[in-house]
Amino acid sequence: MKDCGPAGRPAAGADPQKRDQILDGAKKVFMQKGFDAASMNDITREAGVSKGTIYVYFQNKEELFAALIETERARIVASARHALDEDEPVRTALFQFGVALVTGMSAEYTVQAMRTVIGVIDRMPGLAVRFFAAAPESGYTVLKSYLDRNVAEGTLIIEDTGFAAQQFLSLCSAGIFKHRLFGVLANPPESQQIERTVRAGIDMFMAVYASEKH
């Protein structure tokens, strides 16, 4: 049961719509001004809430930014996970998963967020730890579970599915992720480039890990 205040209203800090409203405003401000230049006053104006309200949900700008990162990561993972839920051949499922994940990773907001974390890592190491900490569900954990199932079914032969999952993620984002992060690719890549890269990654991955009968 959700926490509620008088007349059935959500208790302070427990209204998901209000929280999303604040996060939406914060995302616009961070995109426009960057992390360092953005202020909590900017965010309250953009979100259309009072300063008192915003501090009920988030203690400071760092916590707000971390929540944005976690929300965006969950959205990307949910989209990619769906590809692996389907009863599809391994190559098809991996292709759909890889395209969804790399598209999310190379999106403008995701890249800006990663650059921000790198830029503040010396003075705010906790933010970087939170960014890179293994979430209960991430692209890596979702893929590892999928590989574990296929190893059990005999479709794939993999000794270390955790390492193989990391390899797959690197193969699918080769020439895209780092190029976006460091500005070699100024804009998100076209879908054709992502699909070509993912297909090439799957060819290499399956050449090593597919069982002979597949």
Side-chain angles (χ1 to χ4, degrees):
M1 181 180 294
K2 294 181 180 179
D3 295 332
C4 293
R9 293 193 301 272
D15 185 345
Q17 291 184 340
K18 184 65 68 176
R19 186 177 188 274
D20 289 344
Q21 180 181 338
I22 294 169
L23 288 174
D24 287 343
K27 182 175 181 178
K28 293 176 183 177
V29 172
F30 285 134
M31 289 283 286
Q32 293 167 359
K33 296 189 173 185
F35 179 80
D36 285 328
S39 70
M40 292 296 267
N41 286 333
D42 295 328
I43 295 169
T44 57
R45 284 194 297 269
E46 186 65 43
V49 300
S50 69
K51 185 174 287 188
T53 297
I54 202 169
Y55 282 114
V56 168
Y57 288 84
F58 303 100
Q59 294 182 4
N60 50 46
K61 186 170 66 171
E62 291 77 11
E63 184 177 304
L64 183 50
F65 184 71
L68 270 173
I69 291 172
E70 290 164 4
T71 300
E72 190 69 10
R73 176 168 55 188
R75 183 191 65 77
I76 294 170
V77 172
S79 173
R81 183 187 62 229
H82 178 71
L84 299 181
D85 287 341
E86 301 295 330
D87 186 18
E88 297 279 4
V90 174
R91 278 183 175 270
T92 302
L94 289 177
F95 175 76
Q96 294 172 347
F97 173 84
V99 168
L101 201 65
V102 175
T103 299
M105 289 170 57
S106 58
E108 188 64 28
Y109 177 73
T110 308
V111 170
Q112 284 196 21
M114 292 179 182
R115 289 171 179 165
T116 296
V117 172
I118 293 172
V120 302
I121 193 169
D122 289 334
R123 68 179 190 274
M124 283 184 250
L127 184 61
V129 170
R130 190 166 178 176
F131 184 88
F132 289 105
E137 185 172 72
S138 64
Y140 165 79
T141 60
V142 168
L143 179 58
K144 183 180 184 304
S145 295
Y146 178 79
L147 297 180
D148 285 335
R149 294 197 302 271
N150 278 273
V151 168
E153 294 168 1
T155 309
L156 300 172
I157 301 175
I158 304 175
E159 183 176 342
D160 186 342
T161 55
F163 182 62
Q166 293 175 336
Q167 287 179 314
F168 182 82
L169 297 176
S170 296
L171 288 170
C172 286
S173 61
I176 295 178
F177 173 65
K178 288 184 179 179
H179 284 194
R180 283 288 288 135
L181 185 62
F182 295 106
V184 178
L185 288 176
N187 300 305
E190 298 290 336
S191 58
Q192 294 90 336
Q193 180 181 357
I194 293 176
E195 291 172 2
R196 182 174 65 249
T197 304
V198 171
R199 285 196 182 95
I202 291 172
D203 286 343
M204 296 179 70
F205 187 84
M206 295 297 284
V208 175
Y209 293 123
S211 64
E212 291 185 4
K213 62 182 179 180
H214 289 84

